[in-house]
Amino acid sequence: MGAEYRIDIHTAAGVKLAEVTDFLALSYTRQVNAPGLLTFLLPGDHKIVSQLEDKAQVIVYRRNPAMGLPAWTADFWGLFRAQRRSYTDRDLIEIRCPGILTMLSWRIVAWPAGRGDRSTFLNVRAETIAKTLVNYNAGPGATVTNGRVRDGVIAGLAVQADASGGKSMSIDCAWSNLLETLQKVAATGGGDFDLVKTGAQEWEFRWYSGQRGTDRTLTQLFALERGNMAEPEYIYDRLEERTVAIVGGQGGGAGRTVVVRTGPGYLATNDIETFVDASNSATTEALNASGDSRLEETRAKQEFKFKVLQTPASYYGVHYFLGDLVKARYRNINVTQKIVAVTISLDKDGAEKIDVEMETQWAGGPD
């Protein structure tokens, strides 16, 4: 028996309606710090179609005893938001469900500019920033009484207790989309985030210091000789590298505030400047953050790409998971990779295809 998939359909309130296994096609992508998307195809007269409602909860389960995954395991949680009906030789309906993180894209940071610890954060831990933003824009604190421009509480959304994880950072984010702001915080803050289903219509916002998954660099190696890697390609590019940011703040001429930041690749022999215009920033912390962000964007690029092959000793959902850190080796290249996306699809015969996207973690270049 090979891979099997099941789609559980619930009402928006979380009441289970059906288990669907007779879908005609299935494809979904899971991503770190992003909603991802599920698409599946049903006959137009399928009995579940008439029961689907906006924001119906949809959960994908998978199992594969031959590869070490014997029990049904939930792998995607989404909300029904779109459909497409068509007819050629038969009536069809395509269902599209973004992942539950999409709920955070329904809100903006609806606080006036400069509001401390609401729209402006100075030298605050990334986890604290993320959880504060969610609490006061989508969670229990998102009320006019607390000072938000309108009530924005999403029913059932809670925020995990703050552990002050991640790096200290500064950010101004008034009126920005909440999900996009959280993605920026995670990109430089040293962590990941997610919404986790905890009840019928209950979700908890969680922060994961370091990464969403587990550090498996000592146990999970991808290499040609292991049969779980194909078509490796390694790129190390310093053409656009900058290692020193000169940041201009408020003021003019000789009175303009200026700070200088150096990046991780800076050496006396690798001194390459860039200018950052941050005239809207009023504090040293904000200027520092602008410089650090530019240096992160312009650091040397290291990318190790390869096709991930599924084997009994290296199978997604058994030996590694979304957000995990793993090792990858090719000749003298030996780097840490983060699993940032997984796309699964079934062809017309039910054959499983798993595409794994990895992001190379900075290691200073080839050995």
Side-chain angles (χ1 to χ4, degrees):
M1 181 181 294
E4 298 178 84
Y5 285 81
R6 186 185 93 206
I7 304 172
D8 284 14
I9 309 293
H10 301 247
T11 66
V15 178
K16 187 173 178 178
L17 297 174
E19 296 180 1
V20 178
T21 57
D22 56 347
F23 48 83
L24 302 175
L26 167 72
S27 177
Y28 66 91
T29 297
R30 293 187 65 195
Q31 295 175 269
V32 173
N33 302 333
L37 181 68
L38 162 67
T39 301
F40 61 98
L41 189 66
L42 296 172
D45 60 353
H46 195 285
K47 61 183 180 181
I48 195 62
V49 172
S50 63
Q51 302 180 68
L52 284 172
E53 61 179 339
D54 181 45
K55 302 183 183 69
Q57 298 180 40
V58 182
I59 306 174
V60 178
Y61 289 81
R62 60 191 293 259
R63 69 179 177 185
N64 192 336
M67 299 292 267
L69 189 66
W72 283 114
T73 303
D75 198 46
F76 185 92
W77 299 259
L79 301 175
F80 169 53
R81 296 292 287 156
Q83 61 175 290
R84 182 170 67 90
R85 293 175 178 266
S86 62
Y87 187 93
T88 51
D89 58 340
R90 56 176 170 169
D91 191 21
L92 298 172
I93 181 170
E94 181 186 77
I95 306 298
R96 303 183 73 198
C97 307
I100 58 175
L101 263 180
T102 194
M103 290 192 289
L104 299 182
S105 72
W106 300 345
R107 295 291 182 267
I108 68 169
V109 181
W111 294 81
R115 182 69 182 271
D117 295 327
R118 294 295 182 270
S119 63
T120 297
F121 299 84
L122 300 177
N123 281 336
V124 180
R125 292 283 185 173
E127 177 180 354
T128 301
I129 295 174
K131 289 181 174 177
T132 300
L133 287 170
V134 173
N135 182 36
Y136 286 100
N137 290 286
T143 64
V144 171
T145 302
N146 283 335
R148 195 173 187 270
V149 299
R150 65 180 296 272
D151 290 336
V153 176
I154 295 177
L157 196 155
V159 179
Q160 180 190 50
D162 185 17
S164 299
K167 303 174 184 176
S168 292
M169 57 183 296
S170 301
I171 186 172
D172 292 313
C173 52
W175 317 119
S176 299
N177 181 270
L178 177 59
L179 178 59
E180 293 175 1
T181 301
L182 293 170
Q183 290 168 336
K184 292 178 181 178
V185 171
T188 57
D192 293 325
F193 61 88
D194 206 352
L195 276 182
V196 177
K197 182 176 168 65
T198 57
Q201 197 177 12
E202 297 176 340
W203 300 270
E204 184 177 66
F205 178 80
R206 297 180 182 175
W207 175 269
Y208 303 86
S209 289
Q211 69 279 332
R212 170 69 173 82
T214 301
D215 186 343
R216 302 181 191 274
T217 53
L218 296 180
T219 60
Q220 187 62 43
L221 172 66
F222 290 87
L224 288 170
E225 63 270 22
R226 297 212 168 191
N228 56 7
M229 172 191 288
E231 303 175 15
E233 178 185 9
Y234 178 74
I235 298 171
Y236 187 60
D237 184 352
R238 307 186 78 158
L239 291 175
E240 303 299 326
E241 182 184 28
R242 299 292 182 268
T243 60
V244 180
I246 300 174
V247 187
Q250 296 183 346
R256 187 173 190 179
T257 302
V258 175
V259 300
V260 178
R261 304 292 287 174
T262 56
Y266 172 78
L267 295 169
T269 55
N270 194 37
D271 185 334
I272 309 171
E273 296 177 343
T274 184
F275 178 72
V276 181
D277 184 355
S279 54
N280 292 329
S281 298
T283 66
T284 299
E285 291 85 356
L287 295 175
N288 289 344
S290 295
D292 293 345
S293 177
R294 176 66 61 83
L295 291 173
E296 182 65 28
E297 294 172 359
T298 59
R299 72 187 304 176
K301 301 296 189 295
Q302 181 175 226
E303 184 178 21
F304 187 15
K305 299 186 294 185
F306 56 92
K307 184 180 295 184
V308 175
L309 304 179
Q310 302 298 319
T311 73
S314 181
Y315 186 61
Y316 166 68
V318 177
H319 304 99
Y320 60 89
F321 303 82
L322 183 71
D324 282 357
L325 298 181
V326 298
K327 277 291 185 181
R329 183 177 67 213
Y330 169 58
R331 295 188 178 274
N332 69 323
I333 308 303
N334 192 1
V335 298
T336 297
Q337 302 277 98
K338 181 178 178 180
I339 299 171
V340 296
V342 178
T343 298
I344 293 179
S345 57
L346 302 180
D347 65 19
K348 62 181 181 179
D349 298 319
E352 177 186 62
K353 180 182 179 183
I354 302 177
D355 292 317
V356 179
E357 180 181 341
M358 298 193 186
E359 182 179 89
T360 304
Q361 305 300 285
W362 180 252
D367 295 339

